[in-house]
Each structure stands twice: as C-alpha cells, then as structure tokens.
Amino acid sequence: MKILFLHGWQSIPGGLKPTYLKDHGHEVLNPALPDDDFGEAVRIAQAEFDHGKPDVVVGSSRGGAVAMNITADVPLVLLCPAWKRWGTATTVKPGTAILHSVADEVIPFADSQELPRNSGLPDSALIVVGHEHRLADPESLAKMLETVERATR
C-alpha cells in the first residue's frame, strides 16, 4: 500500500511513525513541510498527493490539519490533528479515522471529540490510544498501522 504521511510542526520526514509504516511493508511518501507557511505546506502535500496517488493519507498533529485541507479522494487517518490551530477545514469526510490520547499535552482531546460530531461521523471514528501527544509508544504505533491497513479495505 502507498501512504502519504504528513508530519507535524517542528518534525521532519523519516521520523518514527513513517519509518514504522515503511518497516511494515508499505511505501511511504513523506514530504518535508515548512513550519512557517501553512499554505505552502498544503500546496506541497497536494502536489505529493496528486503525483504519488497514495491509497491513504496519514497526518500527524499539524500534518493532520494539512491532510484536512487537501483534496484527497482516499481515506484519512489523523493522529492528534491540530485542526483548530491551522487551516480552515472544520470537518472530515466519511471513513476518516482519528487517533488521539486523552493525556495529550499539546492538542486538546476535546478537539478530536468535536471533529466527528462536526462531520457526522460515528463515535467509532475516534480511537483513544496512547499516553501523550506523539503517539510513539508501541501500542499507538500498532494501532496506527492497524487503522491504516483497515482504512483501505
């Protein structure tokens, strides 16, 4: 499966989560997104999506906000999406999955509770996992992989 992974603010390509997906047999497109220009980050992500034709888009934190602001006709998997801080999108399309930790110290968990309600998604769209914002623990990484693989079935 081909995955477009959009990293978070002050993150870089090749981090733990995209590497985890790659190590589990997936092709991962992981462009560098500028921290200081959200519009440019969206343009880069859109160009990568259009050129790479991924099967699913994964967005982490600010990358989740970027994912919400591109035109993508594939499932989205959002990890602690920072949609209230960046971009203009306030809803997501059917089939979107959101992973978030109740103990997130950066992005309020309530933001991810609000997003499915705004979007008319079932409560099951929000998957509670992890112990902090990064979702870098083994359980969170495994749940991300499972959710990504399930999204394209």
Side-chain angles (χ1 to χ4, degrees), residues 2-6 29-31 41-58 66-67 70-76 93:
K2 189 184 290 187
I3 301 164
L4 174 57
F5 188 95
L6 303 173
L29 309 171
N30 190 203
V42 170
R43 284 187 288 281
I44 290 167
Q46 187 69 61
E48 192 76 21
F49 179 85
D50 293 344
H51 178 73
K53 309 258 187 267
D55 302 300
V56 63
V57 176
V58 178
V66 172
I70 66 171
T71 302
D73 56 353
V74 300
L76 302 179
K93 62 187 177 173

Side-chain angles (χ1 to χ4, degrees), residues 50-146:
D50 293 344
H51 178 73
K53 309 258 187 267
D55 302 300
V56 63
V57 176
V58 178
S60 180
S61 193
R62 181 176 180 262
V66 172
M68 289 174 61
N69 283 274
I70 66 171
T71 302
D73 56 353
V74 300
L76 302 179
V77 176
L78 306 176
L79 312 174
C80 307
W83 64 277
K84 284 194 163 187
R85 292 191 185 179
W86 285 286
T88 58
T90 58
T91 62
V92 290
K93 62 187 177 173
T96 297
I98 304 157
L99 281 69
H100 205 136
S101 170
V102 175
D104 190 329
E105 71 285 3
V106 177
I107 302 299
F109 180 74
D111 291 2
S112 285
Q113 290 176 303
E114 184 180 335
L115 192 53
R117 285 195 303 268
N118 289 356
S119 307
L121 297 179
D123 291 343
S124 60
L126 175 57
I127 300 163
V128 179
V129 68
H131 311 288
E132 44 82 42
H133 179 69
R134 289 187 60 238
L135 300 184
D137 60 282
E139 177 192 6
S140 296
L141 293 170
K143 184 56 79 172
M144 174 189 65
L145 176 65
E146 174 191 323

